[in-house]
């Protein structure tokens, strides 16, 4: 297929913008659905103001081949977020079915039956809305890229000699390099047979504290790692949220950390047709730039 037309929801977020840049370089025609129209717009990209709580205009979906659903409203920003995310996803599915547009939904390892965070439970409920015979759900591990959670970690490591280990840093993580993730998304879109749920992360599983120590070493930082009980941090977050004081971590993110899981990813890598980089390879590529 030459120069397909692609809608990306949440195109001004971390993953959405990375995907926009990736597919723009591939000369795809892109419609960027964004909550706020950017002051500086990418050449050749059509921007559409998009709010999940509002109905979409069917005209915006005319002659579109694919849609990547990366938009997500966080509960910390709006206590109606769960219902808004579900309704917004339902609306997209309905119109994409009508227009015969294949969807790639960006989900997470946090979405599983034992999830207790709003993020994890809502992503899981959104997954259940899709037709696995037509659409693709990507359950994505920890993304290693210039922005997102990793950039927050790096900033914290560079600005302080102390670094918190929530729950002792025992949580397991599996990572995926941002460039690899973009390639995965392209593959599942263009290959008609790739539908259903795919787990996207390198197969290697490491403890969070090991990842932190390797990252600090890469940055040339000698840090003092301070274990913090999960329950203590959670209740502290709730207290500060109650009185309206912003701190670097939220109760939602603590709940997500508490229920992190690992998934078998080797077989899905083979099906998608890509060999994902390890976390060490990913960090080497990211930090050398």
């Amino acid at each position: 297929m030459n120069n397909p037309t692609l809608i990306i929801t949440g195109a001004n977020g971390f993953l959405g913008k990375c995907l926009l840049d990736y597919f723009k370089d591939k000369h795809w025609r892109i419609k960027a659905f964004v909550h706020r129209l950017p002051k500086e717009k990418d050449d050749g990209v059509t921007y559409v103001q998009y709010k999940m709580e509002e109905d979409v205009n069917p005209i915006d979906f005319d002659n579109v081949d694919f849609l990547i659903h990366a938009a997500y409203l966080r509960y910390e920003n709006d206590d109606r977020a769960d219902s808004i995310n579900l309704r917004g996803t339902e609306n997209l599915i309905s119109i994409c079915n009508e227009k015969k547009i294949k969807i790639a939904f960006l989900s997470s390892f946090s979405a599983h039956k034992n999830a207790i965070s709003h993020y994890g439970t809502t992503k899981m409920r959104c997954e259940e809305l899709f037709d696995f015979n037509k659409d693709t759900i990507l359950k994505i591990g920890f993304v290693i890229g210039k922005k997102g959670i990793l950039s927050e970690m790096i900033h914290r490591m560079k600005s302080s000699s102390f670094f918190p280990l929530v729950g002792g840093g025992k949580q397991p993580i599996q990572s995926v390099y941002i460039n690899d993730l973009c390639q995965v998304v392209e593959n599942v879109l263009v290959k008609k047979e790739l539908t259903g749920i795919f787990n996207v992360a390198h197969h290697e599983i490491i403890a969070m504290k090991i990842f932190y120590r390797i990252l600090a070493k890469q940055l040339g930082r000698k840090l003092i790692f301070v274990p913090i009980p999960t329950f203590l941090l959670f209740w502290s977050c709730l207290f500060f949220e109650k009185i309206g004081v912003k701190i670097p971590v939220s109760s939602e993110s603590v709940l997500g950390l508490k229920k992190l899981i690992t998934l078998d990813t080797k077989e899905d890598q083979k099906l998608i047709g890509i060999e994902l980089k390890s976390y060490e390879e990913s960090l080497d590529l990211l930090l050398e730039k």
Side-chain angles (χ1 to χ4, degrees):
M1 185 182 293
N2 294 324
N3 306 117
T5 299
L6 168 68
I7 289 174
I8 303 175
T9 70
N12 51 359
F14 166 45
L15 294 183
K17 184 61 170 68
C18 289
L19 288 162
L20 185 153
D21 292 338
Y22 175 85
F23 284 105
K24 182 185 171 187
D25 288 343
K26 295 271 184 175
H27 306 293
W28 286 37
R29 291 183 288 270
I30 300 170
K31 289 187 176 182
F33 279 34
V34 295
H35 189 71
R36 291 187 182 86
L37 295 174
K39 293 180 180 179
E40 296 183 7
K41 299 179 180 179
D42 288 87
D43 294 336
V45 176
T46 301
Y47 287 86
V48 177
Q49 192 161 25
Y50 170 69
K51 295 182 180 180
M52 282 190 289
E53 63 268 35
E54 298 177 0
D55 292 333
V56 292
N57 187 345
I59 294 174
D60 292 325
F61 294 75
D62 287 347
N63 302 312
V64 170
D65 300 293
F66 306 110
L67 181 142
I68 301 170
H69 187 23
Y72 179 80
L73 178 62
R74 292 194 169 276
Y75 183 80
E76 302 97 305
N77 298 330
D78 191 324
D79 59 13
R80 304 169 301 152
D82 295 356
S83 60
I84 289 173
N85 284 306
L86 286 165
R87 183 192 170 196
T89 302
E90 287 174 334
N91 287 344
L92 291 174
I93 292 171
S94 176
I95 196 163
C96 285
N97 285 342
E98 180 185 332
K99 302 278 186 177
K100 294 181 170 52
I101 299 169
K102 184 178 181 180
I103 305 174
F105 174 61
L106 304 191
S107 188
S108 167
F109 276 29
S110 296
H112 55 86
K113 64 180 180 179
N114 295 319
I116 55 177
S117 67
H118 287 274
Y119 178 77
T121 55
T122 303
K123 283 285 187 180
M124 189 70 182
R125 290 173 66 190
C126 285
E127 286 182 14
E128 295 167 352
L129 299 173
F130 290 91
D131 182 343
F132 296 167
N133 294 315
K134 295 190 299 183
D135 299 313
T136 304
I137 292 89
L138 298 177
K139 295 179 84 77
I140 302 168
F142 177 74
V143 180
I144 294 180
K146 290 182 179 179
K147 296 185 178 180
I149 296 175
L150 182 65
S151 69
E152 296 173 9
M153 290 180 183
I154 291 173
H155 173 74
R156 198 171 301 166
M157 286 184 174
K158 287 183 174 180
S159 59
S160 174
S161 297
F162 299 90
F163 194 87
L165 289 178
V166 180
K170 297 176 183 178
Q171 302 88 345
I173 61 169
Q174 289 170 267
S175 66
V176 57
Y177 185 47
I178 184 62
N179 292 14
D180 288 347
L181 176 58
C182 291
Q183 179 66 62
V184 165
V185 174
E186 180 183 7
N187 286 11
V188 300
L189 287 177
V190 300
K191 295 182 180 181
K192 292 182 180 180
E193 70 275 16
L194 292 181
T195 60
I197 298 180
F198 295 91
N199 303 325
V200 184
H202 191 266
H203 63 269
E204 185 178 7
I205 301 166
I206 58 166
M208 192 79 79
K209 61 184 177 182
I210 294 175
F211 180 83
Y212 289 154
R213 294 183 192 282
I214 290 174
L215 177 59
K217 185 177 179 180
Q218 292 260 31
L219 295 171
R221 297 286 294 163
K222 293 183 178 180
L223 302 177
I224 298 173
F225 292 93
V226 183
I228 299 177
T230 305
F231 77 91
L232 179 61
L233 181 59
F234 176 70
W235 287 107
S236 298
C237 288
L238 284 182
F239 170 76
F240 285 112
E241 289 163 5
K242 186 75 173 177
I243 63 175
V245 176
K246 284 195 173 184
I247 57 175
V249 65
S250 69
S251 58
E252 265 288 284
S253 59
V254 176
L255 290 177
L257 282 173
K258 189 175 180 180
K259 290 294 182 177
L260 279 180
I261 64 168
T262 60
L263 295 169
D264 182 10
T265 63
K266 287 184 178 180
E267 194 60 36
D268 286 347
Q269 286 184 57
K270 292 178 184 177
L271 291 171
I272 295 169
I274 182 171
E275 186 175 340
L276 301 177
K277 296 174 185 63
S278 69
Y279 74 95
E280 289 182 294
E281 293 170 324
S282 302
L283 287 176
D284 285 342
L285 286 168
L286 184 75
L287 297 176
E288 73 180 9
K289 295 179 180 178

